[in-house]
Amino acid sequence: MTRAETKERNRRALLDAAFHVVSRDGHRARLDEIAEQAGLTTGAVYSLFGSKGGLVAALVTDYLRPHYEEIEQAIPAETDLLEAVEAFARYYRRSCDGPAATSALALQITLLDMALHDPELGSRLAASVRTQERHLIALFTGRSHNGKAVTSHQAQRLVTALRALFVGLTQGVILGLAPGADEQYFADVACALASNACLIDQEADAPA
């Protein structure tokens, strides 16, 4: 293997090990155990990620990247805003029934707990999520709604609201607290949110 291939193999091994240990132990996750599961030393963690916080932030990015790539594929390019939002909502609801849904929720809750215990790590996690959300903002920007093109600022506000909506609904579905929340329900509430004038139609909220 080349040096670059070895580095990538070690990086992948550490991320996979971190997923299992962090999902189980949260903020109590130990670097030495993560490194041991990866067949490496803690020195490899510092060399590749800089710190435990860097490793966890990279884990979030690694976890979210394929998720957002799938969303991009699920949303047709030539549709207006509400059609795009509906496709997004239906994709999100289908993910609740996937084989990894429960483990994904467990990781989400664990990461929130870690962020509360470590403000610096919380800032890094938030930055990682914002980076991925920019892909969604780009997906909605420029789409037609009520005869106008959605601005980047409006798309940003919408993405923030949709993320909060879907996180809550997804937790409800997986935990059995949202009976009747099928694909159509997800689509209906998401489109109702996207149609709200305070999110989409008011140019006064956009920066000058």
Side-chain angles (χ1 to χ4, degrees):
M1 295 179 68
T2 66
R3 184 175 181 179
E5 288 172 337
T6 300
K7 181 178 179 180
E8 180 56 30
R9 181 196 64 184
N10 292 346
R11 181 180 179 277
R12 181 74 263 159
L14 285 169
L15 287 171
D16 291 343
F19 179 88
H20 294 293
V21 177
V22 168
S23 295
R24 186 192 68 205
D25 298 340
H27 68 277
R28 298 181 181 84
R30 300 193 341 260
L31 280 185
D32 58 346
E33 183 175 359
I34 292 173
E36 182 181 356
Q37 284 202 17
L40 299 165
T41 66
T42 54
V45 176
Y46 292 108
S47 174
L48 290 168
F49 300 101
S51 65
K52 176 181 175 180
L55 172 59
V56 175
L59 172 62
V60 173
T61 299
D62 184 71
Y63 170 75
L64 289 178
R65 183 181 293 114
H67 175 62
Y68 282 102
E69 289 174 353
E70 290 175 3
I71 290 172
E72 290 181 11
Q73 295 173 3
I75 300 178
E78 302 300 325
T79 58
D80 64 21
L81 178 68
L82 293 186
E83 290 172 324
V85 168
E86 179 174 351
F88 181 28
R90 290 183 180 279
Y91 163 83
Y92 229 104
R93 177 60 183 84
R94 288 193 297 271
S95 70
C96 296
D97 299 324
T102 301
S103 59
L105 177 58
L107 178 63
Q108 180 186 107
I109 294 172
T110 296
L111 291 172
L112 288 174
D113 179 61
M114 294 181 74
L116 290 174
H117 282 85
D118 187 341
E120 181 180 354
L121 175 58
S123 296
R124 299 186 72 158
L125 294 179
S128 180
V129 172
R130 284 195 297 270
T131 296
Q132 298 300 318
E133 282 190 346
R134 283 197 283 271
H135 295 296
L136 283 179
I137 293 169
L139 274 177
F140 292 130
T141 299
R143 293 183 187 267
S144 174
H145 182 66
N146 289 341
K148 297 180 180 180
V150 176
T151 68
S152 176
H153 176 70
Q154 292 167 334
Q156 179 179 16
R157 295 188 64 181
L158 176 60
V159 166
T160 298
L162 287 175
R163 178 174 57 80
L165 173 67
F166 290 146
V167 166
L169 281 176
T170 298
Q171 291 177 359
V173 170
I174 295 173
L175 296 174
L177 302 175
D182 55 10
E183 273 193 40
Q184 190 61 51
Y185 181 84
F186 268 59
D188 288 345
V189 294
C191 287
L193 182 61
S195 298
N196 194 302
C198 72
L199 286 173
I200 298 302
D201 297 329
Q202 294 298 318
E203 293 293 336
D205 286 325

